[in-house]
Amino acid sequence: MLTCLLIALSTYLNAEVPLITNVSARNITSLNGKWNYIIDPLDNGFFDYRLEPLKNGFFKNQKPTNPSQLIEYNFDTSPYMKIPADWNTQDNQLFFYEGSVWFKKDFTHQKKANNKTYIYFAAVNYRASVYINGQLAGHHIGGYTPFNFDITDLLLEGKNFVVLRVNNNRGKDEVPTVNMDWWNYGGITREVMLVEVPQVFIEDYQIQLAKNNKGLISGWLKLNAAKAGEAIVVEIPELKIKQELKTDQNGLANFEIKAKPALWSPKNPKIYEIILSKADERITDQIAFRTIETKGKDILLNGEKIFLSGISIHEEAPYRQGRAWSKDDARTLLGWAKEMGCNFVRLAHYPHNENMVREAEKMGLMVWSEIPVYWTISWLNEGTYNNAKKQLHDMVYRDKNRAAVVIWSIANETPHGEARDKFLSNLATYARSLDNTRLLSMAMEVNHLPNHVNVVEDNMNKYVDIISFNEYMGWYDGRGTSEDCRVATWKIPYNKPIVVSEFGGDALQGLYGDKTERWTEDFQEELYIRNLEMLSKIDGLSGVSPWILKDFHSPRRQLFGIQDWFNRKGLISDQGIKKKAFYIMQNWYKTKNN
């Protein structure tokens, strides 16, 4: 608790600066690679033995100046960890570890006049304290969204070092909270880079089709400073568009351009090069154009009805253990989804890395993106709400230009109640204020009534565009047999599209037996067959995203010889081997898509 209070105070004093949009298109220097690390379970590097903050903690990276000086740590003689990485799968003694680990990286830097330098982290789980040359740059809370700090005044000419204190302790009032069904991977889990920009630079922008007008590209861009009259050129070479804009007194410029771009879709994932430039800056991006809306119980992509043939995915690396983060990871995971016949992926239960979203767009996969408001959050805690709101903001901020993202999700399997309804309705309203062009949803829970009647009723129905829910008929729900699917009926009293956001059951790859024997591939295969028969009868069914693409680590899964700390609901094993149920979905999607 004391740690949280200190970090909250320091965050106020050393506030994050606004995120730099499309950071990879800037002048960047990667800080990926080998970092020294020190495990610190008692936070000796942060507090003294009276739990008072240290003035000369590990962040100072001190070296003895004489043989008698006592310094009880040394980054330079500590082991290395390859970053990006979670520490759980990089060091055997850290597999179950939750606590603090310190990281240090040396780098060189040459200062340039009239430039600013930021340090950018694509994600650190969960709390990060960042120091440059022993001086605090700032703090961040939240394990799945990017953050950056202006470190221009902290850098030295030539040799520099950055130190991070990373802490992944779970907390009752955090987002996610203490109880979850995925691994609490700690560490610097995504890319790190230095970003050089002019003193006045294009900080943020949005470019998309105007709502309800396929012949108009609209957008805006914003400088990092309130500078009027700055000339900025917007170009889309393939559409022969080149327009000069002038910023207003707030450093903001809005524009509308008549055009008829080819529309992005799973069958034609067309992407255009966009160029934004001014006298001392040039940014390129790849942006697609499409519309997404609902009409009655249908989802319309570019005005045409579409069925979301999906799969849920955790950010779990293929073929190895640990967090996925790279383009190669994304291409493998999404390639499996495409092989199954998917046109849609549900990226659960938190914002995935930017490579995942961008690669999905290139491959023609629509995306559901979610924040980790998961199960039972501290609904009455103001700090918890502000944390969720910040993560929602940062998710939308980063991916607002990605046409592949068609659904923002604000929660998963949350219990009904007045406090929860207020919390989520406020989040929904805030999401609309950030972006009213995409669909809004959340994974609801099912009420089970007598006589095999299943009802989806939720007070959040009026805030979402899609009624989504998780059901586990034949695994958790009913009597635990696929025969439950034959007699189940569904009541969903809303004239909105329905997406079944989860269903399925566990199977250990390579274990076979009777179709009534749990944990076997045969049981899972039969479960999928019966669930698909049942779900196909639901009026207004507009999509499914079964749980889940690949087996993933979870501390809730303790059955020795079967689970071994894995949730085995994957249609593909942790070693990349497809189970029998994979082909059930593949054949069903082939029929559905035809």
Side-chain angles (χ1 to χ4, degrees), residues 241-254:
I241 289 172
K242 186 173 183 178
Q243 183 168 323
E244 182 173 307
L245 311 173
K246 295 282 183 149
T247 58
D248 63 16
Q249 67 274 13
N250 298 313
L252 184 68
N254 295 285

Side-chain angles (χ1 to χ4, degrees), residues 475 505-526 551 559-564 568 570-574 577-581:
W475 188 258
D506 293 64
L508 178 63
Q509 183 275 319
L511 181 63
Y512 303 104
D514 190 82
K515 65 183 180 181
T516 62
E517 184 181 349
R518 275 187 187 260
W519 311 111
T520 64
E521 287 196 41
D522 307 272
F523 186 100
Q524 186 188 50
E525 178 186 43
E526 180 70 8
D551 290 351
L559 180 59
F560 182 76
I562 298 290
Q563 293 171 317
D564 298 323
R568 297 292 186 188
L571 298 181
I572 300 174
S573 77
D574 58 291
I577 302 172
K578 298 176 181 67
K579 304 175 191 177
K580 294 174 74 173

